[in-house]
Amino acid sequence: ALMLAATVGTVAGGIGALYHRTWLDRIVISLSIAGISVPSFVVAIAVAVVFAYWLGGYTHLNLTGSLWELDATGQEVIVWKNLILPTLALSVQPTAGIAQLTR
């Protein structure tokens, strides 16, 4: 989550700095203020509802899931797709902070 936040936050802050006082800058500022203001548990619920419930047929992401699941042979395997939603939810606030600092 922190690697995603550092990458996206630096790019967003750079865009805000390059296009200072334009509509792109205002979007970056607005999204970063919203990202800092919304608690992580609210972001997690929103991300889960959108990507796992509404778009679950397209994304094939689970609303709940464990890192370890049983495959067809009964052995435990790591299911990496179950880490996508928590990573997105936990990276929102650091991304917003990094974007503000980079700008």
Side-chain angles (χ1 to χ4, degrees), residues 65-79:
S66 175
L67 180 60
W68 297 93
E69 290 183 0
L70 297 176
D71 64 357
T73 63
Q75 298 203 355
E76 289 186 337
V77 293
I78 296 177
V79 182

Side-chain angles (χ1 to χ4, degrees), residues 3-69:
M3 289 184 346
L4 178 66
T7 305
V8 174
T10 304
V11 170
I15 289 172
L18 286 175
Y19 298 102
H20 188 67
R21 295 189 183 211
T22 63
W23 63 275
L24 280 173
D25 182 37
R26 294 182 202 278
I27 289 174
V28 169
I29 290 172
S30 299
L31 289 177
S32 65
I33 289 173
I36 291 172
S37 301
V38 177
S40 294
F41 67 89
V42 174
V43 173
I45 292 169
V47 165
V49 166
V50 170
F51 290 108
Y53 187 71
W54 290 344
L55 300 175
Y58 301 110
T59 62
H60 301 291
L61 296 173
N62 298 329
L63 191 57
T64 60
S66 175
L67 180 60
W68 297 93
E69 290 183 0

